[in-house]
């Protein structure tokens, strides 16, 4: 596609978001692209080339969207909001970052949005969206790329591993630009708060929305237990026959146990 072929699918509220964010994040810019392989891949490429400015990159369509653990993230234009925020980031601990991001999104979207440790937004036991966090470092400087995919409309069933929820189910007239306008500035604020304060002050708010709290779960590395919420670093606590264990690796995924 050449640039002259491109008619944007939407009008995006870039100016309003920029006005809200730039006082707290000097040098912040917003870029809306008709199509890219993946907004995360693009910001990681730029970071590796030394481009470390804070940016919100939105794509109307991704041709190679990525999920956690090497999975594909599908999403048709208009059916999903897909964006990444890149920013220089120096927290004292990174643990709990994806939980802080999920919590900010959930709190922007509504009281019945739940969080499934470590990276998913859920509603009524179905997946509403996901988060993919990556980091690049150069010397002592680190740069975080926070990718977010939210279902606006329900994706086609054949694309799914997990049953899907959509924002349009509870927000009539929701569009990708309206959802971006609601979530983007609070998310930037949450990232800056996490950088200076970490996860501990968010623990109880996360646990209040924990979709798995009190249920029997199994982890992809073969452990089973009763989910007891997260600790002050964001590690998932499971009560097993051998005692309380803490799961902190982002490479582990958690599901309700069979028959639970
Ligand atoms: C997951 O559910 O496993 C995480 C999904 C993250 C998808 C978003 S869409 C915008 C950004 N770019 C990507 O390639 N992935 C993230």
């Amino acid at each position: 596609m050449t640039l002259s072929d491109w008619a944007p699918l939407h009008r995006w509220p870039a100016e309003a978001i920029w006005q809200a964010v730039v006082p707290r994040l000097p040098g912040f810019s917003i870029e809306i692209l008709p199509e890219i392989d993946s907004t995360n891949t693009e910001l990681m490429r730029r970071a590796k080339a030394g481009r470390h400015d804070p940016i919100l990159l939105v794509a109307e369509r991704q041709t190679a969207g990525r999920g956690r653990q090497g999975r594909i993230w599908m999403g048709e234009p208009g059916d999903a909001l897909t964006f990444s925020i890149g920013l220089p980031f120096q927290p004292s601990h990174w643990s709990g970052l994806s939980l802080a991001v999920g919590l900010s999104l959930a709190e922007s979207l509504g009281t019945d949005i739940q969080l499934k440790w470590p990276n998913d937004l859920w509603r009524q036991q179905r997946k509403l969206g996901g988060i993919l966090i990556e980091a690049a470092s150069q010397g002592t400087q680190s740069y975080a790329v926070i990718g977010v995919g939210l279902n606006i409309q329900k994706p086609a069933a054949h694309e799914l591993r997990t049953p899907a929820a959509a924002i349009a189910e509870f927000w009539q007239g929701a569009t990708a630009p309206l959802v971006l306008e609601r979530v983007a500035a609070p998310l930037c604020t949450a990232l800056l708060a996490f950088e200076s304060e970490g996860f501990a002050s968010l623990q109880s708010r996360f646990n209040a929305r924990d979709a798995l709290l009190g249920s029997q779960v199994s982890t992809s590395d073969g452990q089973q237990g009763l989910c007891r919420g997260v600790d002050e670093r964001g590690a998932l606590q499971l009560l097993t026959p051998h005692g309380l264990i803490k799961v902190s690796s982002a490479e582990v995924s958690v599901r309700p146990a069979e028959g639970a």
Side-chain angles (χ1 to χ4, degrees):
M1 178 164 69
T2 64
L3 204 55
S4 58
D5 294 332
W6 178 50
L9 196 63
H10 298 292
R11 278 183 63 80
W12 291 90
E15 179 68 24
I17 296 170
W18 185 82
Q19 294 280 2
V21 173
V22 77
R24 277 164 280 160
L25 209 47
F28 178 68
S29 67
I30 300 179
E31 216 175 300
I32 317 280
L33 297 176
E35 182 175 296
I36 189 111
D37 50 358
S38 145
T39 53
N40 264 48
T41 304
E42 172 63 12
L43 290 189
M44 288 298 285
R45 273 193 295 260
R46 294 183 189 185
K48 285 173 191 155
R51 293 169 66 183
H52 285 182
D53 294 331
I55 183 168
L56 165 63
L57 180 66
V58 183
E60 291 193 333
R61 180 175 138 85
Q62 295 187 122
T63 54
R66 295 186 289 115
R68 286 179 67 232
Q69 299 176 317
R71 297 193 193 108
I72 300 172
W73 170 269
M74 310 288 279
E76 287 305 309
D79 286 0
L81 168 63
T82 51
F83 69 89
S84 301
I85 294 173
L87 74 171
F89 207 60
Q90 303 276 116
S92 49
H93 297 287
W94 288 75
S95 62
L97 175 57
S98 70
L99 284 60
V101 170
L103 181 62
S104 168
L105 295 168
E107 289 183 343
S108 293
L109 288 172
T111 49
D112 65 344
I113 308 303
Q114 292 191 297
L115 296 157
K116 178 174 161 286
W117 186 93
N119 287 46
D120 288 351
L121 277 88
W122 270 22
R123 183 169 183 267
Q124 298 175 344
Q125 285 148 40
R126 294 164 302 143
K127 179 164 171 166
L128 187 70
I131 297 157
L132 177 66
I133 296 183
E134 298 178 288
S137 50
Q138 224 168 42
T140 57
Q141 296 301 306
S142 50
Y143 188 80
V145 174
I146 291 99
V148 175
L150 294 171
N151 298 331
I152 307 293
Q153 305 291 338
K154 224 167 132 168
H158 67 267
E159 293 175 356
L160 303 175
R161 251 180 97 247
T162 315
I167 293 173
E169 291 168 3
F170 61 90
W171 173 356
Q172 217 185 4
T175 60
L178 287 173
V179 174
L180 184 72
E181 188 167 16
R182 188 179 290 187
V183 303
L187 179 53
C188 291
T189 303
L191 289 169
L192 295 173
F194 179 91
E195 187 180 29
S196 54
E197 293 156 31
F199 179 74
S201 65
L202 306 176
Q203 180 187 5
S204 59
R205 276 153 62 196
F206 183 94
N207 284 334
R209 288 177 184 260
D210 184 348
L212 298 174
L213 189 69
S215 54
Q216 198 68 27
V217 300
S218 55
T219 67
S220 55
D221 64 353
Q223 319 205 60
Q224 286 224 0
L226 185 68
C227 178
R228 299 289 299 270
V230 299
D231 72 5
E232 67 289 346
R233 288 276 181 96
L236 186 70
Q237 307 177 108
L238 296 184
L239 189 58
T240 75
H242 313 291
L244 193 70
I245 61 163
K246 297 195 180 202
V247 185
S248 54
S249 167
E251 291 311 310
V252 175
S253 58
V254 181
R255 296 199 150 257
E258 296 288 319

